[in-house]
Amino acid sequence: MQVLIVEDHQDSCEQLERCLTRRDYDVATAGDLQTGIDFLDKQRFDAIIADIALPDGTGYTLLNEARRRGIHALGIAMSGYPYPSNVNEAGVTGFDYHLTKPVNCDDLLSLLEKSRANEGDAPTNL
């Protein structure tokens, strides 16, 4: 499974990358919106994990750009702030899931595994 992590906090990014690579995920990392968008041109991703607040934009912009390009990867948003209760409604943010930082590795892996198990099923919330 190909995963793109876009996170400007280097320690957090490295922690997520270690978490996933130890479980045999192929991971690409970016520290800002533009680099994340550039990765969308270079390879296909099964999941995009993005911080909401990036130095040059937002994770929402990244996911919107991916969707505009026809990329239907699993979208997981991260933020240091709790999300309002309505963000889990389909289509509200474009992301499939929202995690509050610090992200628990087991929670993240659970979401990725759930997505992998559902591959081939039609997306219900895109």
Side-chain angles (χ1 to χ4, degrees):
M1 189 172 202
Q2 301 281 346
V3 179
L4 173 62
I5 299 170
V6 182
E7 165 64 81
D8 61 316
H9 186 263
Q10 186 174 355
D11 291 343
S12 297
C13 189
E14 289 172 359
Q15 176 191 12
L16 291 171
E17 182 179 18
R18 275 192 308 276
C19 164
L20 297 178
T21 57
R22 288 181 181 158
R23 307 305 196 295
D24 295 324
Y25 287 89
D26 292 320
V27 179
T29 62
D32 58 51
L33 172 63
Q34 188 56 55
T35 304
I37 289 172
D38 291 345
F39 267 112
L40 298 177
D41 291 328
K42 296 176 183 173
Q43 66 188 90
R44 184 188 71 79
F45 294 99
D46 302 299
I48 298 171
I49 303 167
D51 190 2
I52 295 303
L54 297 167
D56 58 342
T58 69
Y60 300 122
T61 302
L62 174 69
L63 198 67
N64 285 335
E65 180 61 21
R67 300 296 189 238
R68 188 187 69 75
R69 294 173 183 216
I71 299 168
H72 296 289
L74 175 71
I76 301 174
M78 304 179 294
S79 177
Y81 301 98
Y83 291 92
S85 60
N86 69 339
V87 297
N88 291 323
E89 294 176 20
V92 171
T93 65
F95 282 97
D96 300 294
Y97 299 100
H98 299 82
L99 300 175
T100 302
K101 293 181 187 180
V103 172
N104 178 294
C105 184
D106 290 334
D107 292 345
L108 178 59
L109 289 167
S110 175
L111 295 176
L112 292 170
E113 289 302 316
K114 185 166 122 177
S115 173
R116 189 186 306 211
N118 291 331
E119 277 183 8
D121 292 347
T124 59
N125 61 347
L126 294 179

